[in-house]
Amino acid sequence: MHEHDADDDYSSIGDPEEHSIGPAVFHDTVAVLAPAEPVCLREAATVHEAAQRMVHARQAAVLVVDRAGRLAGIFTERDLLTRVVGRGLDPKATALSVVMTPEPEVLAIRDRVAYAVHCMSVAGYRTMPLVDDERRPIGIVTVSDVIRWLADLFPTTVLNLPPGGDTLKRPGQVDSG
């Protein structure tokens, strides 16, 4: 340990914000993220219709449901780029069933935020469906929801970051770039 580390401006000893994340990570459920209402479409809907609904709802995905209203798949903005535009498919003539991700991983309202973060981090998901016990969509959880939750846990730190995107570093920290 460097002799100035304990006294520098970046020391978090005694910082109540740092201590508030522990219980939150282990106890907060996905419900605290205030998930958005999902946009749901049937498998026969076109990519064009899905894209229009996504834009109108300001969401990055639509959930594809079967006749019983149960989750059958998810179609995201990433799918639009890679599976539709990237392949030269016609959005007005392509059904969601052709380009959706079938049987996606899901979250339940009682799942911990830590589990959602784990799923998103490991698999690279930016959007996850939230379903009930019958696998009917009840919400959408996004990376932005998690970031907003984190910012709420550390309001003083977030509000006091310097403008311009400067990264705070601890003294003695080596920047390899």
Coordinates of all heavy atoms in Angstrom, one line a residue, residues 15-29 112-115 149-150 153-154:
D15 N -17.1 5.5 3.4 CA -18.1 6.0 2.4 C -19.4 5.2 2.5 O -19.4 4.0 2.2 CB -17.5 5.9 1.0 CG -18.4 6.5 -0.1 OD1 -19.5 6.8 0.3 OD2 -17.9 6.6 -1.2
P16 N -20.5 5.8 3.0 CA -21.7 5.0 3.1 C -22.2 4.5 1.8 O -22.9 3.5 1.8 CB -22.7 6.0 3.7 CG -22.0 7.4 3.6 CD -20.6 7.2 3.4
E17 N -21.9 5.2 0.7 CA -22.4 4.7 -0.6 C -21.8 3.4 -0.9 O -22.4 2.5 -1.5 CB -22.1 5.7 -1.7 CG -23.0 6.9 -1.7 CD -22.9 7.7 -2.9 OE1 -22.0 7.5 -3.7 OE2 -23.7 8.7 -3.1
E18 N -20.5 3.2 -0.6 CA -19.8 1.9 -1.0 C -20.5 0.8 -0.2 O -20.6 -0.3 -0.7 CB -18.3 2.0 -0.7 CG -17.6 0.7 -1.0 CD -16.1 0.8 -0.9 OE1 -15.5 1.6 -1.6 OE2 -15.6 0.1 0.0
H19 N -20.9 1.0 1.0 CA -21.4 0.0 1.8 C -22.9 -0.3 1.5 O -23.4 -1.4 1.9 CB -21.3 0.3 3.3 CG -19.9 0.5 3.7 ND1 -19.0 -0.6 3.8 CD2 -19.1 1.6 4.0 CE1 -17.8 -0.1 4.1 NE2 -17.8 1.2 4.3
S20 N -23.5 0.6 0.7 CA -25.0 0.3 0.4 C -25.2 -0.7 -0.7 O -26.3 -1.2 -0.8 CB -25.6 1.7 0.0 OG -25.1 2.1 -1.2
I21 N -24.2 -1.0 -1.5 CA -24.4 -1.9 -2.6 C -24.5 -3.3 -2.1 O -25.2 -4.1 -2.7 CB -23.3 -1.7 -3.7 CG1 -23.8 -2.5 -4.9 CG2 -22.0 -2.2 -3.2 CD1 -23.0 -2.1 -6.2
G22 N -23.7 -3.7 -1.1 CA -23.7 -5.1 -0.6 C -25.1 -5.6 -0.4 O -25.5 -6.6 -1.1
P23 N -25.9 -5.1 0.5 CA -27.2 -5.6 0.7 C -28.1 -5.5 -0.5 O -28.9 -6.4 -0.8 CB -27.8 -4.7 1.8 CG -26.6 -4.1 2.5 CD -25.5 -4.0 1.4
A24 N -28.0 -4.4 -1.3 CA -28.8 -4.2 -2.5 C -28.5 -5.3 -3.5 O -29.5 -5.9 -4.1 CB -28.5 -2.9 -3.1
V25 N -27.3 -5.7 -3.7 CA -27.0 -6.7 -4.7 C -27.6 -8.0 -4.3 O -28.0 -8.8 -5.1 CB -25.4 -6.8 -4.9 CG1 -25.1 -8.1 -5.6 CG2 -24.9 -5.6 -5.6
F26 N -27.5 -8.3 -3.0 CA -28.0 -9.6 -2.5 C -29.5 -9.7 -2.2 O -30.0 -10.8 -2.2 CB -27.2 -10.1 -1.3 CG -25.7 -10.3 -1.7 CD1 -24.8 -9.5 -1.2 CD2 -25.4 -11.4 -2.5 CE1 -23.4 -9.7 -1.5 CE2 -24.0 -11.6 -2.8 CZ -23.1 -10.7 -2.3
H27 N -30.1 -8.6 -2.1 CA -31.5 -8.6 -1.7 C -32.5 -8.0 -2.7 O -33.6 -8.4 -2.8 CB -31.7 -7.9 -0.3 CG -30.9 -8.5 0.8 ND1 -31.2 -9.8 1.2 CD2 -29.9 -8.1 1.5 CE1 -30.4 -10.1 2.2 NE2 -29.5 -9.1 2.4
D28 N -32.0 -7.0 -3.5 CA -32.9 -6.3 -4.4 C -33.3 -7.3 -5.5 O -32.5 -8.0 -6.1 CB -32.3 -5.1 -5.1 CG -32.3 -3.9 -4.1 OD1 -32.8 -4.0 -3.0 OD2 -31.8 -2.8 -4.5
T29 N -34.6 -7.3 -5.9 CA -35.1 -8.2 -6.9 C -35.3 -7.3 -8.2 O -35.3 -6.1 -8.1 CB -36.4 -8.8 -6.6 OG1 -37.4 -7.8 -6.4 CG2 -36.3 -9.7 -5.3
R112 N -33.1 -12.0 -8.3 CA -32.2 -10.9 -7.8 C -31.6 -10.1 -9.0 O -31.4 -10.7 -10.0 CB -31.1 -11.5 -7.0 CG -31.6 -12.4 -5.8 CD -31.9 -11.6 -4.6 NE -32.3 -12.4 -3.5 CZ -33.5 -12.5 -3.0 NH1 -34.5 -11.8 -3.6 NH2 -33.8 -13.3 -2.0
V113 N -31.4 -8.9 -8.7 CA -30.7 -8.0 -9.7 C -29.3 -8.6 -10.0 O -28.9 -8.6 -11.2 CB -30.6 -6.6 -9.2 CG1 -29.7 -5.7 -10.2 CG2 -32.0 -5.9 -9.0
A114 N -28.7 -9.2 -9.1 CA -27.4 -9.8 -9.3 C -27.4 -10.9 -10.3 O -26.5 -11.0 -11.2 CB -26.8 -10.3 -8.0
Y115 N -28.5 -11.7 -10.3 CA -28.7 -12.7 -11.3 C -28.9 -12.1 -12.7 O -28.3 -12.6 -13.7 CB -29.9 -13.6 -10.9 CG -30.2 -14.7 -11.9 CD1 -29.3 -15.7 -12.1 CD2 -31.3 -14.6 -12.7 CE1 -29.5 -16.7 -13.1 CE2 -31.6 -15.6 -13.7 CZ -30.7 -16.6 -13.8 OH -31.0 -17.6 -14.8
W149 N -30.3 1.7 -11.7 CA -30.3 1.2 -10.4 C -29.0 1.5 -9.7 O -29.0 1.9 -8.5 CB -30.7 -0.3 -10.4 CG -30.6 -1.1 -9.2 CD1 -31.4 -1.1 -8.1 CD2 -29.5 -2.0 -8.8 NE1 -31.0 -1.9 -7.1 CE2 -29.8 -2.5 -7.5 CE3 -28.3 -2.4 -9.4 CZ2 -29.0 -3.4 -6.9 CZ3 -27.5 -3.3 -8.8 CH2 -27.9 -3.8 -7.5
L150 N -27.9 1.2 -10.4 CA -26.6 1.5 -9.8 C -26.4 2.9 -9.5 O -25.9 3.3 -8.4 CB -25.5 1.0 -10.7 CG -25.3 -0.5 -10.8 CD1 -24.3 -0.9 -11.9 CD2 -24.7 -1.0 -9.4
L153 N -28.0 3.9 -6.3 CA -27.3 3.4 -5.2 C -26.1 4.4 -4.8 O -25.7 4.4 -3.6 CB -26.7 2.0 -5.4 CG -27.7 0.9 -5.4 CD1 -27.0 -0.4 -5.7 CD2 -28.4 0.8 -4.0
F154 N -25.6 5.0 -5.8 CA -24.4 5.9 -5.6 C -24.7 7.3 -6.1 O -24.0 7.9 -6.9 CB -23.2 5.4 -6.4 CG -22.8 4.0 -5.9 CD1 -23.1 2.9 -6.7 CD2 -22.1 3.8 -4.7 CE1 -22.7 1.6 -6.3 CE2 -21.7 2.6 -4.3 CZ -22.0 1.5 -5.1

